[in-house]
Amino acid sequence: MRRLIVLLLLTLSLPIRAQDGLRYRIQLWMRGDAQPMEARFRLHSTAGTRSHNKVQKPRMGGWRLEADRTEGTPYAQVMLLGRAERLLYLAGPSPQTRPEPIALRFGHRSLPVWSLEMPRNLHASTVLVEVAPRLLALCDFSVRFEQGDITRLELHLEGLDGTAGLAPAEAGTTLLSTLQAWALEAGQAVESSVTVR
């Protein structure tokens, strides 16, 4: 009887535990396509690894993305999640971030908004929200490309399903390096298209 009660409690707690994390939608428009490819996914933070040393230094964990296979463009989830992973921010404030005097409401929660400084030569906009004290997460991201196969890419936070377990990820500021790489590519493209008369 006791085992049955424990099993029942574990079964009831599984859906709650599975709902932790941040829910996102990514959309990607290919040049010439009228409709975007789309996927929905959940971001979970993972615990840091432990070493076998006597002195345990604090280590940052990572993140795990889980696609919702019931929605979105069939067979595109892996490719879209690969792109999304390079566009996420889950870290504390950085020199490129600045608090704004507004907040966004998600359900019953009101989250402070932070802006992110954009590199030159990039047609992009980004909004970050403070999901926990001193922990910023990407809320909205939109970028347009003048050249290449992709014309537009958007990433939106659709919901918070429990942020108590979220922690900064070791690669939490990967969005910053992606933006810098894109700005460098855009600058090189502008330079190569300039003609001298």
Side-chain angles (χ1 to χ4, degrees), residues 92-119:
S94 69
Q96 293 90 343
T97 60
R98 185 177 68 245
E100 297 294 336
I102 57 173
L104 289 176
R105 184 162 290 285
F106 282 88
H108 64 280
R109 292 184 59 185
S110 184
L111 304 179
V113 170
W114 289 63
S115 62
L116 181 66
E117 182 182 311
M118 284 291 119

Short mmCIF file of all heavy atoms in Angstrom, two decimals, residues 92-119:
data_model
loop_
_atom_site.label_atom_id
_atom_site.label_comp_id
_atom_site.label_asym_id
_atom_site.label_seq_id
_atom_site.Cartn_x
_atom_site.Cartn_y
_atom_site.Cartn_z
N GLY A 92 23.62 36.65 -16.29
CA GLY A 92 23.45 37.91 -15.59
C GLY A 92 23.67 39.08 -16.53
O GLY A 92 24.01 38.90 -17.70
N PRO A 93 23.49 40.30 -16.02
CA PRO A 93 23.73 41.48 -16.85
C PRO A 93 25.18 41.51 -17.34
O PRO A 93 26.09 41.06 -16.65
CB PRO A 93 23.44 42.65 -15.91
CG PRO A 93 22.53 42.07 -14.87
CD PRO A 93 22.97 40.65 -14.70
N SER A 94 25.38 42.05 -18.54
CA SER A 94 26.72 42.20 -19.11
C SER A 94 26.90 43.67 -19.47
O SER A 94 25.95 44.45 -19.39
CB SER A 94 26.84 41.31 -20.36
OG SER A 94 26.02 41.81 -21.38
N PRO A 95 28.11 44.07 -19.88
CA PRO A 95 28.31 45.48 -20.27
C PRO A 95 27.42 45.93 -21.43
O PRO A 95 27.18 47.12 -21.59
CB PRO A 95 29.79 45.52 -20.67
CG PRO A 95 30.42 44.40 -19.94
CD PRO A 95 29.38 43.32 -19.85
N GLN A 96 26.93 44.99 -22.24
CA GLN A 96 26.08 45.34 -23.38
C GLN A 96 24.61 45.48 -23.01
O GLN A 96 23.79 45.82 -23.85
CB GLN A 96 26.20 44.29 -24.49
CG GLN A 96 27.56 44.24 -25.14
CD GLN A 96 28.51 43.26 -24.45
OE1 GLN A 96 28.28 42.86 -23.31
NE2 GLN A 96 29.57 42.90 -25.13
N THR A 97 24.24 45.17 -21.76
CA THR A 97 22.83 45.23 -21.35
C THR A 97 22.57 46.46 -20.49
O THR A 97 23.46 46.97 -19.81
CB THR A 97 22.44 43.96 -20.56
OG1 THR A 97 23.26 43.86 -19.39
CG2 THR A 97 22.59 42.71 -21.41
N ARG A 98 21.31 46.91 -20.54
CA ARG A 98 20.92 48.11 -19.79
C ARG A 98 19.47 47.96 -19.33
O ARG A 98 18.60 47.62 -20.14
CB ARG A 98 21.09 49.34 -20.67
CG ARG A 98 20.83 50.65 -19.96
CD ARG A 98 21.06 51.85 -20.86
NE ARG A 98 20.06 51.92 -21.92
CZ ARG A 98 20.34 51.79 -23.21
NH1 ARG A 98 21.56 51.61 -23.63
NH2 ARG A 98 19.38 51.87 -24.11
N PRO A 99 19.17 48.22 -18.05
CA PRO A 99 17.77 48.13 -17.59
C PRO A 99 16.93 49.25 -18.19
O PRO A 99 17.40 50.36 -18.40
CB PRO A 99 17.88 48.27 -16.07
CG PRO A 99 19.18 48.95 -15.82
CD PRO A 99 20.08 48.60 -16.97
N GLU A 100 15.68 48.91 -18.49
CA GLU A 100 14.74 49.89 -19.05
C GLU A 100 13.63 50.15 -18.01
O GLU A 100 13.33 49.28 -17.19
CB GLU A 100 14.14 49.36 -20.35
CG GLU A 100 15.15 49.14 -21.46
CD GLU A 100 15.79 50.42 -21.95
OE1 GLU A 100 15.17 51.49 -21.80
OE2 GLU A 100 16.91 50.35 -22.50
N PRO A 101 12.99 51.31 -18.07
CA PRO A 101 11.97 51.65 -17.06
C PRO A 101 10.60 51.05 -17.37
O PRO A 101 9.57 51.68 -17.12
CB PRO A 101 11.94 53.18 -17.12
CG PRO A 101 12.30 53.49 -18.54
CD PRO A 101 13.27 52.43 -18.97
N ILE A 102 10.55 49.86 -17.94
CA ILE A 102 9.28 49.21 -18.25
C ILE A 102 9.34 47.74 -17.81
O ILE A 102 10.40 47.23 -17.48
CB ILE A 102 8.93 49.29 -19.76
CG1 ILE A 102 10.06 48.66 -20.60
CG2 ILE A 102 8.66 50.70 -20.20
CD1 ILE A 102 9.73 48.54 -22.07
N ALA A 103 8.17 47.11 -17.83
CA ALA A 103 8.08 45.69 -17.49
C ALA A 103 7.10 45.02 -18.45
O ALA A 103 6.23 45.68 -19.02
CB ALA A 103 7.62 45.52 -16.04
N LEU A 104 7.27 43.73 -18.64
CA LEU A 104 6.35 42.93 -19.46
C LEU A 104 5.64 41.93 -18.58
O LEU A 104 6.25 41.35 -17.68
CB LEU A 104 7.13 42.19 -20.56
CG LEU A 104 7.68 43.02 -21.71
CD1 LEU A 104 8.49 42.14 -22.65
CD2 LEU A 104 6.57 43.70 -22.47
N ARG A 105 4.36 41.73 -18.85
CA ARG A 105 3.56 40.80 -18.06
C ARG A 105 3.51 39.44 -18.74
O ARG A 105 3.22 39.33 -19.92
CB ARG A 105 2.15 41.34 -17.87
CG ARG A 105 1.30 40.46 -16.98
CD ARG A 105 0.09 41.18 -16.46
NE ARG A 105 0.39 42.22 -15.49
CZ ARG A 105 0.72 41.98 -14.22
NH1 ARG A 105 0.82 40.76 -13.79
NH2 ARG A 105 0.94 42.97 -13.40
N PHE A 106 3.82 38.40 -17.98
CA PHE A 106 3.68 37.00 -18.39
C PHE A 106 2.80 36.33 -17.36
O PHE A 106 3.25 36.03 -16.25
CB PHE A 106 5.05 36.30 -18.47
CG PHE A 106 5.84 36.64 -19.69
CD1 PHE A 106 6.68 37.73 -19.71
CD2 PHE A 106 5.73 35.86 -20.83
CE1 PHE A 106 7.41 38.04 -20.84
CE2 PHE A 106 6.45 36.16 -21.97
CZ PHE A 106 7.29 37.26 -21.97
N GLY A 107 1.53 36.13 -17.72
CA GLY A 107 0.59 35.55 -16.76
C GLY A 107 0.41 36.50 -15.59
O GLY A 107 0.07 37.67 -15.76
N HIS A 108 0.68 36.01 -14.38
CA HIS A 108 0.53 36.85 -13.18
C HIS A 108 1.83 37.54 -12.80
O HIS A 108 1.89 38.29 -11.83
CB HIS A 108 0.05 35.99 -12.00
CG HIS A 108 1.04 34.94 -11.59
ND1 HIS A 108 1.17 33.75 -12.27
CD2 HIS A 108 1.95 34.92 -10.59
CE1 HIS A 108 2.12 33.02 -11.69
NE2 HIS A 108 2.61 33.71 -10.69
N ARG A 109 2.91 37.33 -13.57
CA ARG A 109 4.21 37.92 -13.25
C ARG A 109 4.50 39.12 -14.13
O ARG A 109 4.19 39.14 -15.31
CB ARG A 109 5.32 36.90 -13.42
CG ARG A 109 5.27 35.78 -12.41
CD ARG A 109 6.44 34.84 -12.56
NE ARG A 109 7.71 35.53 -12.40
CZ ARG A 109 8.88 34.94 -12.59
NH1 ARG A 109 8.94 33.69 -12.97
NH2 ARG A 109 9.99 35.62 -12.42
N SER A 110 5.13 40.12 -13.55
CA SER A 110 5.58 41.30 -14.27
C SER A 110 7.11 41.30 -14.24
O SER A 110 7.71 41.36 -13.16
CB SER A 110 5.03 42.56 -13.60
OG SER A 110 5.37 43.69 -14.33
N LEU A 111 7.74 41.21 -15.42
CA LEU A 111 9.19 41.06 -15.48
C LEU A 111 9.85 42.34 -15.96
O LEU A 111 9.45 42.91 -16.98
CB LEU A 111 9.56 39.92 -16.44
CG LEU A 111 8.94 38.55 -16.13
CD1 LEU A 111 9.39 37.55 -17.19
CD2 LEU A 111 9.34 38.08 -14.75
N PRO A 112 10.91 42.81 -15.25
CA PRO A 112 11.65 43.99 -15.71
C PRO A 112 12.30 43.73 -17.07
O PRO A 112 12.78 42.63 -17.35
CB PRO A 112 12.72 44.17 -14.63
CG PRO A 112 12.21 43.43 -13.43
CD PRO A 112 11.40 42.30 -13.97
N VAL A 113 12.31 44.76 -17.90
CA VAL A 113 12.85 44.67 -19.26
C VAL A 113 14.26 45.25 -19.28
O VAL A 113 14.54 46.27 -18.66
CB VAL A 113 11.94 45.41 -20.25
CG1 VAL A 113 12.59 45.56 -21.61
CG2 VAL A 113 10.61 44.70 -20.38
N TRP A 114 15.13 44.58 -20.03
CA TRP A 114 16.49 45.05 -20.27
C TRP A 114 16.70 45.15 -21.78
O TRP A 114 16.16 44.34 -22.53
CB TRP A 114 17.51 44.08 -19.69
CG TRP A 114 17.57 44.07 -18.19
CD1 TRP A 114 16.58 43.71 -17.33
CD2 TRP A 114 18.68 44.43 -17.38
NE1 TRP A 114 16.99 43.82 -16.04
CE2 TRP A 114 18.29 44.26 -16.03
CE3 TRP A 114 19.97 44.87 -17.66
CZ2 TRP A 114 19.14 44.52 -14.97
CZ3 TRP A 114 20.83 45.13 -16.59
CH2 TRP A 114 20.41 44.96 -15.27
N SER A 115 17.47 46.14 -22.21
CA SER A 115 17.81 46.25 -23.63
C SER A 115 19.22 45.74 -23.84
O SER A 115 20.03 45.65 -22.91
CB SER A 115 17.68 47.70 -24.09
OG SER A 115 18.58 48.52 -23.38
N LEU A 116 19.51 45.41 -25.08
CA LEU A 116 20.82 44.88 -25.46
C LEU A 116 21.38 45.75 -26.58
O LEU A 116 20.69 46.02 -27.57
CB LEU A 116 20.68 43.43 -25.94
CG LEU A 116 21.94 42.70 -26.35
CD1 LEU A 116 22.87 42.50 -25.16
CD2 LEU A 116 21.60 41.36 -26.96
N GLU A 117 22.59 46.19 -26.41
CA GLU A 117 23.24 47.04 -27.41
C GLU A 117 23.52 46.22 -28.66
O GLU A 117 24.09 45.14 -28.60
CB GLU A 117 24.56 47.56 -26.82
CG GLU A 117 25.33 48.49 -27.70
CD GLU A 117 26.63 48.91 -27.04
OE1 GLU A 117 26.59 49.32 -25.86
OE2 GLU A 117 27.68 48.80 -27.70
N MET A 118 23.08 46.75 -29.80
CA MET A 118 23.24 46.04 -31.09
C MET A 118 24.52 46.51 -31.79
O MET A 118 24.80 47.71 -31.82
CB MET A 118 22.06 46.33 -32.01
CG MET A 118 20.79 45.60 -31.68
SD MET A 118 20.93 43.85 -32.00
CE MET A 118 20.68 43.23 -30.37
N PRO A 119 25.26 45.58 -32.37
CA PRO A 119 26.42 45.99 -33.19
C PRO A 119 25.98 46.75 -34.43
O PRO A 119 24.86 46.58 -34.90
CB PRO A 119 27.07 44.66 -33.58
CG PRO A 119 26.46 43.62 -32.72
CD PRO A 119 25.12 44.13 -32.31
#
